[in-house]
Amino acid sequence: MIELDAQNLARAVRAGRPTSSDRLDPVTGAAASNASAAIVTSVEQAVVRAGEAFAQWSQLCPTARRGLLMEAADSLEAKADQLVEAMMGGIGATEEWARANLAFAVRIVREAAMLTTQIAGEMPPSSKPASSALPSSSARSPSEGA
């Protein structure tokens, strides 16, 4: 891949040529990361993969969705030091700012997880696909038995 400045990078992307670009640490000027520019085929592949992921996600019961989102939040917390370093090097963030934003992100993911099983005037979700958390039965008199 060829390293390019912003103007030439834009031309290369429009022409469909794979390219990459270094992002510099705004404080030290050292290369903080290298990113590949998307071309049409890579965008199309990403769209297909997103559709496949959604098909799988949509089949999960609420409890499974909640579990995956909680795992994601746990993973963010476990990698806090690495993520803070990346923010500091990539955008020149202070450690305090990076940690505050990371903590906010973790709270948002946890809230999203909790919302997957929140009852909102609808049939309560079940952990078993295609079923309800409420039993259904016809009304019976005490003499009929259960």
Side-chain angles (χ1 to χ4, degrees):
M1 296 214 181
I2 305 166
E3 292 184 22
L4 304 168
D5 63 37
Q7 188 175 30
N8 288 327
L9 178 63
R11 280 192 208 109
V13 170
R14 283 193 295 274
R17 293 192 318 265
T19 59
S20 68
S21 176
D22 284 333
R23 284 189 331 174
L24 303 179
D25 180 321
V27 176
T28 67
S33 66
N34 181 279
S36 295
I39 57 176
V40 173
T41 56
S42 58
V43 172
E44 289 169 345
Q45 291 171 352
V47 169
V48 168
R49 287 191 186 117
E52 292 167 351
F54 176 75
Q56 293 174 359
W57 177 262
S58 67
Q59 296 302 309
L60 293 174
C61 67
T63 304
R65 290 179 187 182
R66 180 181 179 135
L68 287 172
L69 288 168
M70 293 300 273
E71 285 179 29
D74 292 344
S75 182
L76 285 172
E77 282 185 324
K79 295 179 175 155
D81 291 339
Q82 292 170 279
L83 293 168
V84 166
E85 286 295 321
M87 285 188 264
M88 290 170 63
I91 61 173
T94 64
E95 182 175 355
E96 295 78 16
W97 183 90
R99 289 197 185 279
N101 277 274
L102 182 58
F104 182 61
V106 169
R107 283 195 308 273
I108 288 173
V109 175
R110 288 197 197 288
E111 181 67 21
M114 289 183 270
L115 290 172
T116 64
T117 54
Q118 179 179 342
I119 298 173
E122 303 164 348
M123 186 68 72
S126 169
S127 293
K128 186 176 178 185
S131 68
S132 160
L134 292 178
S136 64
S137 64
S138 59
R140 300 179 188 186
S141 68
S143 62
E144 292 180 84

